[in-house]
Amino acid sequence: MSLDVQPTPTSLSGYSRSGEARTKPALLLLTQVLPYPLDAGPKIKTFNLIRFLAESFSITLVSFVRPDNTPEHIAALREWCHEIHCIPMRRARSRDVLALLRSLALGQPFLMVRDQVKEMRELLAELARSGQFVAVHADQLNMGQYALPLPIPFRLLDEHNAVWTITDRLRQGERNPFKRALLALETFKLRRYEQKLCRQFDEVLAVSPQDAAALGRPCQVIPIGVDAEGTTPLPLVAGSPKLVSLGTMFYPPNVEGALWFGQQVFPLILQQQPKATYTIIGARPPAALYEMARANPNISVSGYVADLRPALEGSAGLVVPLLSGGGMRVKILEALAMGLPIVSTGVGAEGVKLEHAKTALLADTPQDFAQACLELLDQAGPGPALAQAGRHLALETYDFRRAYAPLGQVYRQVLGESGTTREI
């Protein structure tokens, strides 16, 4: 199937299928990050969403892209998308300072002001003028501001999490009075903005009941889906001393959790298992993590890893030591699919139907978390049973083909109202 490479309003390429008319209803999908490569939770969620929706829709994907996105990344999505258009997201400290000043002057959330890009608005207005789209699917809160003005019959906001709850939890754990005050102000503005925005959409998706309650309006609760059926389980190594954690390390809750585990939990583990190791995997780790690793030879910081499977093989389990954050952790769902045992805090496990000692080990204090990890490190411990039960849970509940079935019902109603009877 040939593709025409056409210029977008930026210097990047847009893709459309040459000479191929749309044979399915047209859906406009807006994403804050390009959902490829699959190296972060939001990308994995959205990539599987595209695979699901492409069965019934002709998708036009419009996405922000970063400097590390390549034409190959964009082209990898063309199997499921009729058209792909990209707008560069330029981030810099000077831009962030200006966005912060604007947000203070306008009384708007910094996170929303930062992502306001004129070229994105212009591109979407041009696409929407065709009148071909039956629905617009805004992926994440940041893209909601772009979807609302469009003259499209049905508008849906897909909330990966209730964003205001993330800044609120960060505020609670912040010790610096100035930063705490800024986080309190951002939380206030975000909560007001997010709940108001959600009320203006025809439908809102939340990934958990907790997030739905925080959004302040009736929502469809649809969990995140992963490709559990297409994932081969990892071979477990009984008695392995290796513990790992995953997460983008420019996301503050992941850094906070890794420091908590490395400084407060891991020393308790080493007292009983001096050969235990802790590997932190994730892009752009801050200096604080490298400093922690230098102080403890049993801790290593891998940074970005393109292929996770070799890095996870031989591990006793995945630790999810989150103290703040929101939504569902895709890394937990991916670990379940791979048959990798999990130790998580209650915050880390939010939204996932984990049962303590059945599908995962759950603990919230340094002492309890350390004890749970020691159980996994024990050659006769519960690791194999947890791996088998977790894999079953992933297949039955979180494979995207099953998890996104309720979304199919939402869009069946939309297509019925638009006079289209195509099955979803």
Side-chain angles (χ1 to χ4, degrees):
M1 185 177 296
S2 64
L3 295 180
D4 285 338
V5 181
Q6 302 173 344
T8 65
T10 73
S11 60
L12 291 178
S13 294
Y15 291 90
S16 66
R17 289 176 176 168
S18 175
E20 182 179 312
R22 294 185 189 268
T23 59
K24 303 174 185 177
L27 175 72
L28 183 61
L29 176 62
L30 317 181
T31 64
Q32 204 262 348
V33 295
L34 189 75
Y36 201 86
L38 305 181
D39 54 8
K43 296 181 181 181
I44 293 170
K45 176 190 185 302
T46 305
F47 178 78
N48 288 316
L49 174 78
I50 289 173
R51 292 176 65 185
F52 179 82
L53 291 176
E55 291 294 321
S56 301
F57 286 99
S58 176
I59 298 174
T60 292
L61 172 65
V62 180
S63 180
F64 282 115
V65 289
R66 274 65 176 176
D68 57 351
N69 288 130
T70 68
E72 290 74 23
H73 294 161
I74 300 168
L77 297 164
R78 66 193 184 189
E79 178 179 350
W80 299 278
C81 298
H82 186 84
E83 294 180 7
I84 302 173
H85 301 271
C86 302
I87 296 291
M89 175 65 77
R90 300 180 179 91
R91 292 272 174 82
R93 180 154 307 208
S94 59
R95 290 176 177 269
D96 286 351
V97 171
L98 290 175
L100 177 60
L101 294 176
R102 283 185 61 214
S103 74
L104 293 172
L106 299 173
Q108 296 180 3
F110 162 74
L111 293 177
M112 299 302 108
V113 173
R114 182 190 61 182
D115 286 355
Q116 291 173 355
V117 177
K118 182 182 69 172
E119 290 83 2
M120 176 63 77
R121 293 192 186 279
E122 292 174 347
L123 171 60
L124 291 174
E126 179 183 347
L127 291 172
R129 276 196 291 270
S130 69
Q132 63 184 312
F133 298 106
V134 299
V136 56
H137 189 119
D139 191 65
Q140 298 200 61
L141 178 66
N142 309 62
M143 303 311 293
Q145 60 187 320
Y146 294 106
L148 275 182
L150 301 178
I152 294 175
F154 183 81
R155 295 171 296 184
L156 181 147
L157 177 62
D158 191 342
E159 289 271 74
H160 288 211
N161 41 52
V163 180
W164 73 263
T165 64
I166 299 175
T167 58
D168 190 44
R169 281 175 169 165
L170 288 172
R171 173 193 62 82
Q172 295 173 29
E174 181 57 59
R175 296 181 179 180
N176 183 300
F178 178 71
K179 291 182 179 179
R180 186 181 178 94
L182 279 180
L183 285 169
L185 178 60
E186 181 71 1
T187 298
F188 171 77
K189 292 188 294 184
L190 261 176
R191 182 175 185 176
R192 181 179 60 185
Y193 175 92
E194 189 166 18
Q195 293 183 346
K196 180 180 178 180
L197 190 78
C198 284
R199 290 193 294 269
Q200 298 177 71
F201 275 82
D202 299 298
E203 187 63 80
V204 175
L205 306 184
V207 299
S208 71
Q210 297 95 325
D211 282 340
L215 295 175
R217 63 151 285 172
C219 301
Q220 286 278 343
V221 178
I222 298 177
I224 293 172
V226 297
D227 188 8
E229 289 185 7
T231 300
T232 303
L234 290 169
L236 284 183
V237 179
S240 168
K242 181 180 176 182
L243 297 168
V244 298
S245 66
L246 299 173
T248 51
M249 286 301 151
F250 51 85
Y251 182 54
N254 286 339
V255 177
E256 176 189 43
L259 289 171
W260 176 77
F261 181 82
Q263 295 171 348
Q264 299 190 42
V265 179
F266 194 56
L268 301 178
I269 296 172
L270 290 176
Q271 289 176 9
Q272 298 187 48
Q273 290 284 0
K275 293 184 179 180
T277 64
Y278 171 41
T279 303
I280 303 169
I281 303 173
R284 291 162 52 186
L289 293 181
Y290 286 111
E291 291 173 6
M292 181 175 71
R294 282 194 292 269
N296 189 331
N298 291 53
I299 298 176
S300 60
V301 180
S302 296
Y304 177 78
V305 174
D307 185 0
L308 286 175
R309 288 187 69 89
L312 297 176
E313 286 179 352
S315 302
L318 176 76
V319 295
V320 187
L322 286 177
L323 307 177
S324 60
M328 292 175 68
R329 258 52 60 179
V330 176
K331 55 193 165 192
I332 286 183
L333 304 182
E334 292 270 281
L336 291 173
M338 286 187 281
L340 186 64
I342 296 163
V343 181
S344 177
T345 59
V347 170
E350 278 183 358
V352 186
K353 296 179 180 178
L354 296 178
E355 295 183 74
H356 176 64
K358 292 184 178 180
T359 49
L361 299 179
L362 305 177
D364 285 311
T365 67
Q367 293 77 16
D368 290 344
F369 208 101
Q371 183 56 43
C373 291
L374 287 166
E375 291 180 30
L376 284 192
L377 297 175
D378 187 345
Q379 188 169 2
L386 292 173
Q388 183 177 4
R391 166 104 177 137
H392 179 77
L393 176 64
L395 287 168
E396 293 299 313
T397 304
Y398 297 112
D399 184 83
F400 77 89
R401 301 160 186 87
R402 295 177 177 84
Y404 293 155
L407 180 59
Q409 296 175 5
V410 171
Y411 276 122
R412 257 196 302 273
Q413 182 178 357
V414 174
L415 295 182
E417 291 174 353
S418 68
T420 306
T421 57
R422 186 177 186 90
E423 290 295 321
I424 295 184

